[in-house]
Amino acid sequence: MKKITIAIDGFSSTGKSTVAKQLAKALNYVYVDSGAMYRAVTLYAMQHGIISEAYFNVDRLVTELDHVQIGFKYNATLGFAEVYLNGKNVENDIRTLEVSQHVSRVAEISEVRRMLVRQQQVMGKEKGVVMDGRDIGTVVFPDAELKFFMTASAETRAKRRYKELLERHEHVSYEDVLKNVMSRDLIDSTREDSPLIKAQDALEIDNSDMSLVAQFEKLYNMAQRVI
Ligand code: C5P
């Protein structure tokens, strides 16, 4: 069976990573969460006083990018690769609302994007990869054999993210989560460098009213047709 590249892009909290992980597992492919990489750079910036609500020292972040080492290590118990920042497992630390509130400003910086896109292209160069993000089908792998673009209403997405954060014992309000989802959508889709747009050859899937099983089956069946 030939190995292909599968790109899954879309708005925040559309459940891309859940279905991408399932798809990668079913196909015996590698799953790469590119958003985790932008989140890890953001966490570094937060930990080093480079970004806060009122402050963002872009020049300092760019100069320090050499000190930001991002890696993935497969966790057999969880069944997916966790993200590491400078040797430390940060899988949980990068999922907080605070990181979500800063990440889109970090993802606007071209130097950050260049560094991460290069790493993502290396991770996918052997194919057999499912990668999710915002620019995978447009910039990282424009030649991917299969591309999906996931959408859902902002309210549906905020409800999903809110539930996820509560399960992680984060004390957040639904309103703040909705505000964050909408503000990230706006920044991500209007930034100058690699804005979030649907690749011309991507299949758009609105999963507002779709179960996880239905989503998985749709993607899996499409993959079977191409492979
Ligand atoms: O996928 P996730 O919601 O974790 O991504 C966090 C943020 O990282 C996005 O809102 C976006 O600003 C940025 N991102 C990006 N390009 C990607 C993946 C994520 O700009 N390929």
Side-chain angles (χ1 to χ4, degrees):
M1 233 189 321
K2 74 170 184 195
K3 293 237 181 224
I4 62 166
T5 302
I6 302 178
I8 306 182
D9 289 305
F11 293 100
S12 306
S13 306
T14 36
K16 299 181 296 290
S17 65
T18 307
V19 74
K21 272 182 207 153
Q22 290 176 348
L23 187 63
K25 196 168 176 196
L27 297 170
N28 202 14
Y29 275 24
V30 172
Y31 163 63
V32 180
D33 174 357
S34 71
M37 301 170 78
Y38 289 91
R39 287 173 177 274
V41 177
T42 306
L43 184 66
Y44 175 93
M46 285 163 58
Q47 289 172 340
H48 291 79
I50 294 173
I51 197 168
S52 70
E53 212 167 306
Y55 175 84
F56 184 12
N57 190 336
V58 176
D59 292 341
R60 205 182 129 203
L61 179 61
V62 170
T63 337
E64 288 191 24
L65 278 179
D66 284 351
H67 306 300
V68 184
Q69 302 294 332
I70 296 167
F72 288 95
K73 241 187 244 167
Y74 187 74
N75 179 324
T77 314
L78 293 173
F80 62 87
E82 295 180 292
V83 66
Y84 283 70
L85 169 64
N86 293 333
K88 184 175 178 279
N89 184 329
V90 291
E91 183 62 33
N92 282 320
D93 301 347
I94 59 164
R95 310 280 170 197
T96 62
L97 182 59
E98 203 186 344
V99 171
S100 298
Q101 282 163 341
H102 298 317
V103 65
S104 289
R105 287 189 293 151
V106 170
E108 283 184 298
I109 314 300
S110 291
E111 288 84 350
V112 171
R113 302 204 70 81
R114 264 205 301 276
M115 175 178 94
L116 298 186
V117 166
R118 225 180 297 127
Q119 294 174 10
Q120 289 152 11
Q121 288 171 336
V122 170
M123 286 189 267
K125 77 174 187 312
E126 308 291 343
K127 296 189 178 270
V129 68
V130 181
M131 195 175 291
D132 73 355
R134 304 292 186 291
D135 60 343
I136 310 304
T138 49
V139 175
V140 182
F141 298 120
D143 298 330
E145 289 83 351
L146 196 53
K147 299 180 186 177
F148 296 102
F149 190 82
M150 312 289 273
T151 64
S153 74
E155 287 74 16
T156 306
R157 293 183 286 121
K159 273 186 207 148
R160 286 181 190 152
R161 179 67 81 177
Y162 178 59
K163 194 167 157 264
E164 213 176 279
L165 288 167
L166 289 188
E167 279 165 9
R168 290 175 181 274
H169 308 292
E170 257 213 70
H171 300 286
V172 293
S173 73
Y174 168 75
E175 287 68 32
D176 281 347
V177 176
L178 177 63
K179 221 191 289 167
N180 175 251
V181 161
M182 291 169 72
S183 108
R184 275 201 288 148
D185 287 351
L186 182 69
I187 302 176
D188 291 346
S189 47
T190 55
R191 68 178 171 227
E192 223 163 275
D193 190 342
S194 322
L196 166 65
I197 40 161
K198 177 183 161 306
Q200 265 185 347
D201 50 350
L203 177 73
E204 182 163 340
I205 298 178
D206 182 335
N207 66 14
S208 305
D209 298 312
M210 270 173 102
S211 69
L212 281 178
V213 175
Q215 287 176 60
F216 167 75
E217 279 173 359
K218 181 151 192 144
L219 269 63
Y220 184 74
N221 291 338
M222 289 291 296
Q224 288 300 342
R225 267 189 246 167
V226 179
I227 295 170

